[in-house]
Amino acid sequence: MGHQVIIFDFSLIRGLWETRVKKNKERQRKEKERLEKSSLEKIKQEWNFILECRKKGIPQSKYLKNGFVDTDEKILDTYGKNPQPQKRHALSDEANKEKNKFIFRLSGEQWTEFPDSLKEQIYLKEWHVYNTLIQTIPAYIALFQDLRVLELSKNQISYLPVEIGCLKNLKVLNVSFNNLKSIPPELGDCENLEKLDLSGNMEITELPFEGNFRKDKILSTLSCTTFQLSNLKQVTVVDVSANKFHSIPICVLRMSNLQWLDISSNNLKDLPEDIDRLDQLQTLLLQKNKLTYLPRSLVNMPKLSLLIVSGDDLVEIPTAICESTTGLKFISLKDSPVETIVCEDTEEIIESERDREQFEKEFMKAYIEDLKERDLTPSYTTKVLLSLQL
């Protein structure tokens, strides 16, 4: 039997194809119309408009009316002809260049000590040193009398020199995620300090409350006061998370302007009954401790707006905290049991703990920022988080 041959009418095939093409085009047209009418497309258009406005230096007040974006193209045309934003950008770049002259930056594991040339730059106002293998801070840091910011995060620093007390104008000290085990009482001499970050050192158990007289080796001057960290009356932020504190340090309770205290991931078993003396405190982070109860004095803190704890060990929480009418956000987290991996190399365990604490710290920071944004969102708008691939 021979092969069966099927012959099509080509005009019929062409007709079927043209019909399919028409239907496909019609579907595409309808989909385009649907997208144009959808809120997603409107958000995309508004976002692109905002980006264009930012590129041209148009102030937010010109295109944002009562929380809604005004996409009038005239706004872009008006500012497109105005050369002033370009001039402002040029001036801004010049100002940044001038500012960078007073900032020292260093990073990378190839660095095991500070460069010798640094001691000649005593006019510097900021140090930003991170992710190096540097273990010590040089004593000549006392010569940097204009230093405002000392950021030394994620290095291998094992102690702070007593000369740090000579930095009378220091406002920010960040020595987080190093190898510190103690803090010198001379730090109490930094009377203008506003932010103190000692988080992630894993081994600090206490902060000095009192110190002794000393003579500065660098400046050859005799100090006639007793050093104590409670002298830091300008401090508004203290972060001592991921260490081994068994209680809130006495000197911290004496910091009368303190607004933010993070003492999470420590060994706290209770809180002092006089914690309400921190009457300016707004944020208190206590999660990942061993607290079994919260003192009623927390209710007497008039500005406390955010309190975060881990609820697994808590057996007593004052009802007034949960029913507070002061706007207090009380967040009780549930801990997930984490399996401890036992390794022969203990350094590996410590490193993994640091990494985990650092990750959780970043997550909590993002979570708190999100809470703040929700508070700032106008009541007549709906906050929507979208992930778009444009």
Side-chain angles (χ1 to χ4, degrees):
M1 187 175 178
H3 293 290
Q4 184 178 5
V5 179
I6 301 175
I7 300 175
F8 287 98
D9 183 346
F10 285 100
S11 62
L12 179 61
I13 294 174
R14 180 179 176 182
L16 288 171
W17 179 253
E18 287 177 347
T19 302
R20 289 180 180 178
V21 169
K22 287 180 180 178
K23 287 183 177 179
N24 187 52
K25 286 184 177 179
E26 183 65 17
R27 278 198 301 270
Q28 289 179 346
R29 185 184 65 79
K30 289 182 178 179
E31 180 65 15
K32 185 179 179 181
E33 289 179 356
R34 186 186 68 80
L35 285 174
E36 287 176 351
K37 293 178 181 179
S38 70
S39 59
L40 190 64
E41 184 66 19
K42 185 178 180 183
I43 291 173
K44 176 183 172 182
Q45 290 174 358
E46 289 180 351
W47 180 247
N48 288 333
F49 186 81
I50 290 172
L51 288 178
E52 193 64 29
C53 288
R54 287 181 178 176
K55 287 179 183 178
K56 290 181 180 264
I58 301 174
Q60 195 179 59
S61 58
K62 296 295 181 183
Y63 60 82
L64 204 62
K65 308 293 183 183
N66 297 324
F68 296 96
V69 179
D70 180 6
T71 55
D72 189 349
E73 294 294 334
K74 292 180 181 178
I75 298 174
L76 293 176
D77 294 339
T78 302
Y79 277 81
K81 298 173 183 177
N82 191 348
Q84 288 185 357
Q86 293 181 356
K87 289 182 180 179
R88 281 199 297 269
H89 281 304
L91 291 172
S92 177
D93 291 342
E94 194 65 30
N96 286 335
K97 287 181 182 178
E98 185 66 24
K99 181 181 177 182
N100 286 333
K101 291 180 182 178
F102 299 93
I103 299 176
F104 171 69
R105 300 182 189 277
L106 192 70
S107 65
E109 294 186 353
Q110 69 272 23
W111 294 100
T112 57
E113 57 184 19
F114 288 93
D116 290 336
S117 59
L118 181 60
K119 66 177 70 173
E120 308 298 330
Q121 305 176 54
I122 60 174
Y123 56 84
L124 291 172
K125 295 183 179 180
E126 297 183 18
W127 287 16
H128 297 270
V129 181
Y130 59 94
N131 285 334
T132 73
L133 298 180
I134 293 174
Q135 297 182 17
T136 58
I137 300 172
Y140 62 70
I141 193 173
L143 300 173
F144 289 74
Q145 290 296 294
D146 290 329
L147 203 61
R148 303 290 195 277
V149 176
L150 188 55
E151 293 267 2
L152 304 173
S153 180
K154 303 173 191 174
N155 298 290
Q156 301 295 319
I157 298 170
S158 56
Y159 71 93
L160 295 179
V162 296
E163 287 78 11
I164 200 166
C166 299
L167 305 178
K168 304 296 184 182
N169 293 308
L170 191 66
K171 291 183 179 295
V172 176
L173 175 61
N174 181 352
V175 282
S176 61
F177 294 93
N178 280 281
N179 296 323
L180 298 176
K181 294 184 178 180
S182 62
I183 303 299
E186 286 79 5
L187 182 61
D189 253 5
C190 299
E191 55 194 25
N192 288 302
L193 195 66
E194 296 175 1
K195 180 180 179 181
L196 176 61
D197 191 343
L198 305 172
S199 62
N201 281 282
M202 311 298 288
E203 295 293 332
I204 303 177
T205 58
E206 60 183 14
L207 295 180
F209 181 54
E210 290 186 354
N212 300 313
F213 301 110
R214 70 165 170 83
K215 184 178 181 181
D216 294 326
K217 296 178 182 178
I218 299 294
L219 301 180
S220 299
T221 59
L222 183 64
S223 175
C224 298
T225 57
T226 302
F227 307 108
Q228 51 184 13
L229 264 62
S230 55
N231 288 337
L232 304 177
K233 301 300 183 184
Q234 303 302 317
V235 171
T236 59
V237 176
V238 170
D239 189 341
V240 290
S241 60
N243 281 291
K244 290 185 177 178
F245 287 94
H246 292 279
S247 61
I248 296 179
I250 295 175
C251 60
V252 172
L253 293 172
R254 302 296 187 271
M255 295 177 182
S256 54
N257 281 311
L258 194 62
Q259 297 175 16
W260 174 295
L261 174 58
D262 186 349
I263 195 168
S264 59
S265 298
N266 277 278
N267 295 324
L268 300 187
K269 293 184 178 179
D270 54 32
L271 298 178
E273 291 294 335
D274 62 342
I275 192 173
D276 55 351
R277 67 185 301 151
L278 296 173
D279 54 5
Q280 299 299 310
L281 196 67
Q282 299 173 14
T283 301
L284 178 57
L285 309 184
L286 298 169
Q287 70 273 14
K288 294 185 68 178
N289 277 289
K290 299 176 181 178
L291 296 171
T292 56
Y293 75 95
L294 298 177
R296 185 175 176 80
S297 54
L298 287 170
V299 182
N300 302 326
M301 302 174 72
K303 295 190 177 181
L304 188 62
S305 58
L306 179 61
L307 172 62
I308 300 181
V309 300
S310 296
D312 288 342
D313 294 327
L314 288 171
V315 295
E316 183 179 342
I317 301 175
T319 307
I321 291 180
C322 303
E323 298 178 351
S324 175
T325 58
T326 62
L328 171 65
K329 285 187 175 64
F330 174 69
I331 300 172
S332 181
L333 304 176
K334 293 294 181 182
D335 292 336
S336 299
V338 180
E339 294 182 4
T340 303
I341 303 174
V342 180
C343 305
E344 293 181 4
D345 189 354
T346 55
E347 291 295 324
E348 229 175 85
I349 297 176
I350 293 174
E351 195 60 33
S352 66
E353 287 178 359
R354 288 181 190 274
D355 291 342
R356 184 168 61 249
E357 291 294 347
Q358 190 174 340
F359 173 80
E360 290 180 358
K361 186 178 177 65
E362 291 298 322
F363 173 81
M364 186 56 64
K365 189 186 297 182
Y367 175 66
I368 293 173
E369 285 299 319
D370 184 61
L371 286 177
K372 289 181 179 177
E373 284 185 19
R374 291 183 202 177
D375 286 342
L376 294 174
T377 303
S379 57
Y380 52 81
T381 64
T382 302
K383 188 177 177 66
V384 181
L385 180 62
L386 296 172
S387 177
L388 302 177
Q389 288 185 343
L390 303 179

